[in-house]
Amino acid sequence: MKAKKILQKLTPYGFLAPAVLIFALALFYPVFYSIRLSFFNWRLVEVYRKAPEFVGIQNYIKIIQSPAFQTSLKVTAIFITITLATELIVGLGLALLAERKIKGLHLFRTIFLLPIMVAPVVVGVLWRFMFNPNYGLVNYFLGLLGFENVLWLSKPFPALTAVILTDIWQWTPFVFLMLLAGLQNVPEDVLEASIVDGASYVQRLRHVKLPMIKSIIGLTIVLRLIDGLRALVVMYVMTNGGPGRATEVLSLHIYKKAFVSRRLGEASTLAVFLIIILLIVSTLLFQFFNTERRTSA
Amino acid sequence: MTRLNKWLRDFSLPGSEKLRKIDKAQLIRYAMLVLAAGVVLFPIFIMITTSFKTRTQTFSMPPVWIFKPTLKHYQEVLFSGNFLKYLVNSLVVATSTAFFSILIGAFAAYALVRFKFLGKRAVSTVTLLLRMIPPAVLIVPLFVLWLNIGISGSRAGLIFAYIALNLSFTIWILRSFMNEIPVEIEESAVIDGCSELGILFRIVLPLIKPGLAVASIFVFRISWNEFILALVLTNRTTRTLPVAISLRITQVGVHWGEITAMATIVALPAFVFTFLSARSIIRGLTAGAVKG
């Protein structure tokens, strides 16, 4: 009887064991290993021949002072701020348009799902083609409107703009779908009550709808931020971080440091910075939206 | 605007001013949504048509809108080079990842839903946190680690990494579906003498088939689309399609016909999934929004 009870107690751990094992080997240990390696000097060519050489916090000093790192931070910040703001505004606008019972809504939702489902590599390919200076469609349409040809991907500012526009194209639909799901969940009777009370559309939006979907907006922002810090594929395909480092976000900088400059130690230091940024940003956001929720409840 | 008003006056039903007003608002809403849908679809349309154009048609300005489609690029892509091999790699990696993630994820989700145990809260929190790890953080350690245990450059190594990346999402979504099963059903199975494993496989999993479908689509899609880990962890024989495309594009003189043909093939499963099960995908995507 006692043995059976112990066995019962152990059952849940048995069910969890495979997942824990995989997490430990492929996520926990690698993150730990990265942190450790960030204090070592190790080049890609030495992987087979030589053990990493301990250098203390030298990598950190080097990275903090490196212009490439500072640029990548700046690019990442600009990229995330502009994409996030635009995606939220446009996504919310579209969600408000589609929110009321509309015929064919399902078709619209299906179409808006496509950019989310398609591989980032494909997105990079198709926008690299669209932004081609000579036969790309973007310049063609700009030409019809009387603008001159823009060398989109070979000049710093246009290249960053192109990468940002691509991200907006790909991810506004996600914000739209999230906020639409939230809006459709606002209870009918609350809205009706506000209509009876004579609230105008703008008043209802400000005082009823937006407060009710606040936590969803928060969740959407967090998810987009996390994704924004991950983004690198579209830049890799469209510009490879260039021209110069104009579109080299931190994630792409890590890859290039490790496999182009072949410095594994310094790349790990960069990875540690990325983890720290991620932790700070997400803690702040979670705290912000949690307190908001508590005060509104 | 006046023309729109006139049009509405002429065509809307005779009757109240109010009805006309509603129609106008509705029409504007439609127009905006159609415009947005157009912006979404247009580049995809251009990619697909380019894959059927000859070189001269692709480079002609103004663009050729009507043309006789050529299958040349698809023939080129499919029957020369290693494309088919990479296609098989992609298929093997994505399906194995989906299968194992769901199997292992179902075990873990079941433990979290059905049992009370020490450390349960910690497990759920950590699972959520793990979803945040950016792949860029993992490329160096996984590259070295896989090299050390001898699975670097193999499909198994890539699959293993992908399972880890997808597992927390799988657990999370399966858990939300399992939570909806009434406990009574499981309890009656216990009385009938079913083992825990039996309950999971014969009762719980069949009841959450829609959840399994959502999870498989998501995991398949993420592994099929994933790029940076595949770039680092595979070699010439084991690479997947996204890596193959990227290596084509960085060469001098991009061959747009073939690239867009490859990209279209890679995008095909996404199109099929989207049109077949948009509803459940949206449910999976917004699960946190509606329930959180």
Side-chain angles (χ1 to χ4, degrees):
Chain A
M1 197 60 202
K2 213 171 182 184
K4 202 179 169 188
K5 215 163 188 184
I6 291 170
L7 203 67
Q8 249 172 8
K9 274 250 153 85
L10 286 177
T11 320
Y13 298 107
F15 276 110
L16 279 173
V20 171
L21 204 72
I22 284 175
F23 281 147
L25 190 63
L27 293 179
F28 278 119
Y29 182 72
V31 170
F32 167 78
Y33 186 89
S34 266
I35 296 170
R36 203 179 97 94
L37 199 58
S38 72
F39 297 101
F40 286 79
N41 204 352
W42 209 23
R43 290 189 300 152
L44 192 60
V45 284
E46 297 169 340
V47 161
Y48 290 104
R49 290 183 252 142
K50 221 175 117 198
E53 171 202 0
F54 184 75
V55 290
I57 57 163
Q58 228 177 68
N59 286 342
Y60 284 83
I61 296 167
K62 221 169 168 182
I63 292 293
I64 287 175
Q65 290 172 342
S66 110
F69 172 63
Q70 289 158 9
T71 310
S72 77
L73 280 187
K74 208 177 79 194
V75 171
T76 311
I78 296 172
F79 173 78
I80 288 183
T81 318
I82 296 180
T83 53
L84 191 60
T86 317
E87 284 161 18
L88 274 177
I89 294 167
V90 180
L92 181 65
L94 288 173
L96 288 169
L97 288 175
E99 162 209 20
R100 279 180 254 176
K101 290 242 175 332
I102 242 184
K103 261 192 199 146
L105 176 61
H106 187 63
L107 183 63
F108 284 119
R109 290 203 303 173
T110 310
I111 290 172
F112 286 134
L113 205 51
L114 283 173
I116 305 171
M117 296 292 286
V118 163
V121 168
V122 173
V123 172
V125 164
L126 68 89
W127 280 100
R128 185 173 164 147
F129 184 69
M130 295 287 289
F131 279 117
N132 186 290
N134 302 318
Y135 41 84
L137 273 290
V138 176
N139 269 353
Y140 170 70
F141 285 123
L142 286 180
L144 290 186
L145 296 173
F147 289 94
E148 272 178 45
N149 259 14
V150 180
L151 292 172
W152 282 106
L153 301 177
S154 42
K155 291 213 164 147
F157 181 70
L160 187 56
T161 311
V163 166
I164 286 173
L165 287 173
T166 304
D167 191 83
I168 292 171
W169 176 83
Q170 195 184 5
W171 290 107
T172 304
F174 172 74
V175 177
F176 163 78
L177 289 172
M178 288 288 281
L179 299 186
L180 182 63
L183 284 170
Q184 285 172 335
N185 253 32
V186 173
E188 204 71 30
D189 47 343
V190 178
L191 284 176
E192 273 162 23
S194 65
I195 294 173
V196 173
D197 289 347
S200 70
Y201 181 77
V202 179
Q203 282 174 327
R204 258 180 302 161
L205 183 63
R206 260 193 65 188
H207 299 294
V208 183
K209 283 186 199 164
L210 288 186
M212 289 200 88
I213 60 165
K214 194 179 257 171
S215 61
I216 292 153
I217 296 178
L219 179 70
T220 312
I221 292 175
V222 173
L223 289 175
R224 285 304 305 132
L225 262 172
I226 296 172
D227 275 346
L229 285 170
R230 289 166 171 240
L232 85 163
V233 184
V234 167
M235 293 85 170
Y236 182 96
V237 174
M238 282 175 75
T239 60
N240 197 17
R245 296 186 191 277
T247 55
E248 193 169 301
V249 286
L250 185 51
S251 279
L252 187 56
H253 188 44
I254 296 176
Y255 167 78
K256 284 180 138 185
K257 186 60 97 186
F259 294 96
V260 181
S261 315
R262 305 180 178 185
R263 304 204 168 261
L264 299 181
E266 284 172 43
S268 303
T269 314
L270 288 170
V272 171
F273 277 111
L274 180 56
I275 295 174
I276 293 172
I277 293 171
L278 196 64
L279 284 178
I280 294 174
V281 167
S282 51
T283 317
L284 283 179
L285 276 171
F286 274 124
Q287 214 141 39
F288 177 71
F289 284 102
N290 264 336
T291 46
E292 290 275 315
R293 206 184 295 178
R294 234 173 280 142
T295 46
S296 64
Chain B
M1 225 45 195
T2 45
R3 201 185 280 170
L4 184 70
N5 275 328
K6 189 169 171 297
W7 187 83
L8 283 166
R9 213 176 304 136
D10 291 345
F11 288 91
S12 62
L13 291 168
S16 67
E17 188 73 14
K18 203 181 160 197
L19 183 71
R20 216 175 292 152
K21 223 172 170 180
I22 291 170
D23 277 351
K24 204 164 98 185
Q26 183 89 345
L27 204 71
I28 292 170
R29 271 215 301 276
Y30 260 116
M32 304 275 277
L33 282 172
V34 169
L35 183 74
V39 171
V40 165
L41 286 177
F42 185 69
I44 299 176
F45 167 79
I46 292 297
M47 175 185 79
I48 296 171
T49 49
T50 305
S51 72
F52 290 107
K53 279 181 180 178
T54 62
R55 215 176 154 79
T56 22
Q57 284 164 347
T58 301
F59 293 146
S60 83
M61 264 299 148
V64 197
W65 299 107
I66 298 159
F67 58 94
K68 197 166 151 261
T70 166
L71 286 173
K72 206 181 76 190
H73 305 305
Y74 284 90
Q75 275 168 356
E76 195 72 25
V77 163
L78 286 172
F79 303 114
S80 66
N82 280 330
F83 184 85
L84 283 180
K85 193 191 232 169
Y86 302 147
L87 179 71
V88 172
N89 287 343
S90 270
L91 278 173
V92 169
V93 168
T95 34
S96 329
T97 307
F99 177 78
F100 287 112
S101 303
I102 285 169
L103 186 72
I104 298 164
F107 280 136
Y110 185 63
L112 288 172
V113 168
R114 200 181 133 73
F115 299 94
K116 284 200 178 80
F117 57 91
L118 198 67
K120 180 169 167 168
R121 264 189 76 123
V123 172
S124 336
T125 317
V126 169
T127 310
L128 259 176
L129 276 177
L130 288 176
R131 282 185 70 188
M132 295 181 9
I133 299 178
V137 169
L138 297 175
I139 47 178
V140 172
L142 281 184
F143 174 77
V144 176
L145 199 63
W146 273 201
L147 216 59
N148 285 341
I149 57 178
I151 53 171
S152 177
S154 73
R155 293 189 297 203
L158 190 61
I159 293 167
F160 196 61
Y162 282 178
I163 296 172
L165 274 189
N166 284 302
L167 200 50
S168 40
F169 171 77
T170 319
I171 294 175
W172 187 61
I173 192 117
L174 291 182
R175 195 177 153 191
S176 82
F177 276 88
M178 282 183 192
N179 267 329
E180 282 168 24
I181 302 174
V183 191
E184 291 80 24
I185 295 181
E186 289 171 49
E187 275 169 359
S188 65
V190 175
I191 295 165
D192 291 345
C194 231
S195 69
E196 293 295 349
L197 267 182
I199 295 172
L200 177 60
F201 279 104
R202 272 184 258 144
I203 295 163
V204 175
L205 290 188
L207 280 173
I208 57 157
K209 266 186 199 148
L212 297 179
V214 175
S216 357
I217 291 175
F218 270 82
V219 177
F220 184 93
R221 161 187 153 251
I222 291 170
S223 334
W224 178 268
N225 291 351
E226 206 283 333
F227 172 71
I228 196 71
L229 282 171
L231 181 67
V232 172
L233 297 179
T234 59
N235 59 29
R236 202 173 300 133
T237 53
T238 55
R239 76 178 49 128
T240 54
L241 285 179
V243 179
I245 292 187
S246 80
L247 292 175
R248 276 283 182 96
I249 208 168
T250 42
Q251 284 164 4
V252 206
V254 182
H255 196 317
W256 283 109
E258 283 174 27
I259 295 273
T260 49
M262 283 170 96
T264 305
I265 296 172
V266 172
L268 211 57
F271 297 154
V272 174
F273 285 144
T274 305
F275 285 106
L276 283 185
S277 50
R279 247 172 254 277
S280 31
I281 295 173
I282 291 171
R283 178 177 167 176
L285 213 58
T286 59
V290 182
K291 284 193 187 146

